[in-house]
Amino acid sequence: DAGVIQSPRHEVTEMGQEVTLRCKPISGHDYLFWYRQTMMRGLELLIYFNNNVPIDDSGMPEDRFSAKMPNASFSTLKIQPSEPRDSAVYFCASSLLPGTQYFGPGTRLTVL
Amino acid sequence: DAKTTQPTSMDCAEGRAANLPCNHSTISGNEYVYWYRQIHSQGPQYIIHGLKNNETNEMASLIITEDRKSSTLILPHATLRDTAVYYCIVKLMSNTGKLIFGQGTTLQVKP
């Protein structure tokens, strides 16, 4: 298996623009997680899905952030409008068991 | 989920065993200990987990004390590629999927 696939790997955008991050989980995994990592706050869970249904979105910072999982093989994290403080590395992870998560390579987002 | 305490940083000589401690004195009986690591610029990587018995896999060994208040991750023959931040996490297996990553231990393997 190719592992968790994320795209793009790098994104540079200007404040106010819409940003969409994409994730393809490992086939057969029914949990999908979105994390954000910054130097100041470390690695934070934003939201996670089980069988395509959002279970816990308490980590989503505000209404500018939204996540969807239209099917078992694809998820998106959208930021609209983006702000400089959203600059971070965003990781997607998937798992069959809740604690054993497999992370993607991450998307490094820079908002100017 | 119980809180964990880890040293901020550690050094290890290449080829020697790296022993990374973790304190989880408030762990409850049905909480598991998980270890992940994050190599620079990569996503976190699952290493191993256990409940009360010692566990070993191809990457590492996990030693959990009898009272379960602390554990040690052992990398038997550390290499330069093992330089990373190591996270000890305690969570309920039956709980939701939430993993709380702390600051971890930065392990520097030196030649």
Side-chain angles (χ1 to χ4, degrees), chain B residues 40-99:
Chain B
H40 182 61
S41 297
Q42 297 183 21
Q45 177 188 24
Y46 166 79
I47 301 173
I48 198 168
H49 75 279
L51 181 62
K52 57 178 70 175
N53 297 321
N54 298 337
E55 302 287 344
T56 295
N57 63 21
E58 66 279 2
M59 288 183 68
S61 295
L62 174 60
I63 308 298
I64 302 174
T65 58
E66 193 169 340
D67 64 6
R68 303 187 70 240
K69 293 182 183 301
S70 66
S71 61
T72 301
L73 178 75
I74 301 173
L75 308 178
H77 305 287
T79 71
L80 298 179
R81 289 175 296 180
D82 292 320
T83 292
V85 179
Y86 288 77
Y87 298 98
C88 170
I89 303 166
V90 171
K91 76 174 297 296
L92 291 168
M93 177 63 86
S94 61
N95 198 4
T96 59
K98 205 164 187 172
L99 287 177

Side-chain angles (χ1 to χ4, degrees), chain A residues 9 31 33 35 37 41-43 45 48 55-56 58 91 98-105 108, chain B residues 34 36 38 41-46 49 87 91-93 95-103:
Chain A
R9 293 293 309 278
Y31 286 87
F33 307 84
Y35 290 83
Q37 187 170 36
R41 300 176 66 89
L43 194 61
L45 177 67
Y48 80 92
I55 302 300
D56 185 347
S58 59
F91 291 104
T100 311
Q101 299 177 17
Y102 295 87
F103 284 73
R108 182 173 296 277
Chain B
Y34 286 81
Y36 280 74
Q38 187 172 22
S41 297
Q42 297 183 21
Q45 177 188 24
Y46 166 79
H49 75 279
Y87 298 98
K91 76 174 297 296
L92 291 168
M93 177 63 86
N95 198 4
T96 59
K98 205 164 187 172
L99 287 177
I100 309 250
F101 286 82
Q103 295 306 305

